[in-house]
């Protein structure tokens, strides 16, 4: 298997995982600091999905850090397959949560008069934006995992 940026056990792989974790945690923080996110199912789903993303990304970041400390690149086909499936699952859940939350946010912003009726609208927008940013980094990781698996 080839060793290129973003593979498990490399510095760029660790940075990707830390960014995923950071964006997901920031999305949770932004949403959880609103007064009534529990009134909207899509926002609750966003928090649940981003919570799963934080756990998955943190676990793999920890594994990347360990591999960096031991100076090993993790290219075991079984592990890469596990990472790939996990990335796909979390990416699909993150995209679904971000898109459904974006739909509610657009409803507030455009249809209800520019967030005047909803005081926490800017926090909702920030949480959705951060969720999409988390999804992009997960998608990059999953494409790298797929490339490693196919090239190996």
């Amino acid at each position: 298997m080839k060793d290129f940026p973003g593979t498990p056990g490399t510095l760029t792989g660790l940075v990707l995982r830390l960014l995923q974790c950071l964006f997901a945690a920031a999305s949770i923080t932004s949403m959880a600091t609103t007064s009534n996110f529990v009134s909207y199912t899509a926002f609750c789903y966003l928090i649940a999905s981003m919570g799963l993303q934080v756990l998955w990304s943190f676990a793999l970041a920890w594994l990347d850090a360990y591999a960096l400390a031991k100076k090993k690149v993790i290219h075991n086909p079984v592990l890469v397959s596990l990472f790939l499936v996990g990335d796909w699952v979390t990416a699909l859940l993150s995209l679904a949560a971000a898109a459904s939350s974006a739909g509610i946010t657009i409803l507030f912003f455009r249809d209800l008069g520019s967030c005047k009726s909803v005081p926490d609208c800017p926090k909702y927008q920030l949480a959705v934006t951060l969720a999409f940013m988390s999804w992009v980094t997960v998608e990059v990781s999953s494409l790298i995992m797929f490339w490693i698996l196919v090239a190996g």
Side-chain angles (χ1 to χ4, degrees):
M1 291 187 184
K2 296 188 177 207
D3 184 20
F4 56 89
T7 59
T10 62
L11 183 61
T12 51
L14 176 63
V15 169
L16 267 174
R17 296 299 178 182
L18 289 175
L19 284 174
Q20 293 167 16
C21 196
L22 177 75
F23 289 142
S27 177
I28 291 171
T29 302
S30 179
M31 187 63 73
T33 57
T34 62
S35 58
N36 63 345
F37 76 90
V38 295
S39 301
Y40 306 99
T41 306
F43 294 157
C44 293
Y45 176 52
L46 180 71
I47 285 187
S49 174
M50 291 295 107
L52 177 65
Q53 185 61 54
V54 166
L55 293 174
W56 175 254
S57 298
F58 185 75
L60 291 184
W62 185 260
L63 185 63
D64 280 342
Y66 179 78
L68 276 171
K70 296 293 183 181
K71 296 186 181 357
K72 292 187 178 186
V73 177
I74 306 166
H75 281 175
N76 182 337
V78 174
L79 282 177
V80 171
S81 297
L82 175 70
F83 299 159
L84 177 65
V85 170
D87 280 345
W88 279 352
V89 168
T90 57
L92 285 173
L93 290 174
S94 297
L95 180 61
S100 63
S101 296
I104 299 298
T105 305
I106 288 171
L107 173 75
F108 289 155
F109 187 70
R110 297 208 179 160
D111 297 341
L112 298 179
S114 187
C115 287
K116 292 176 184 166
S117 62
V118 182
D120 290 327
C121 191
K123 287 184 180 181
Y124 295 149
Q125 291 172 332
L126 179 62
V128 169
T129 302
L130 291 167
F132 274 114
M133 291 171 71
S134 178
W135 172 75
V136 166
T137 57
V138 173
E139 195 57 37
V140 168
S141 290
S142 69
L143 289 174
I144 290 169
M145 294 302 146
F146 185 68
W147 183 260
I148 292 170
L149 198 60
V150 170

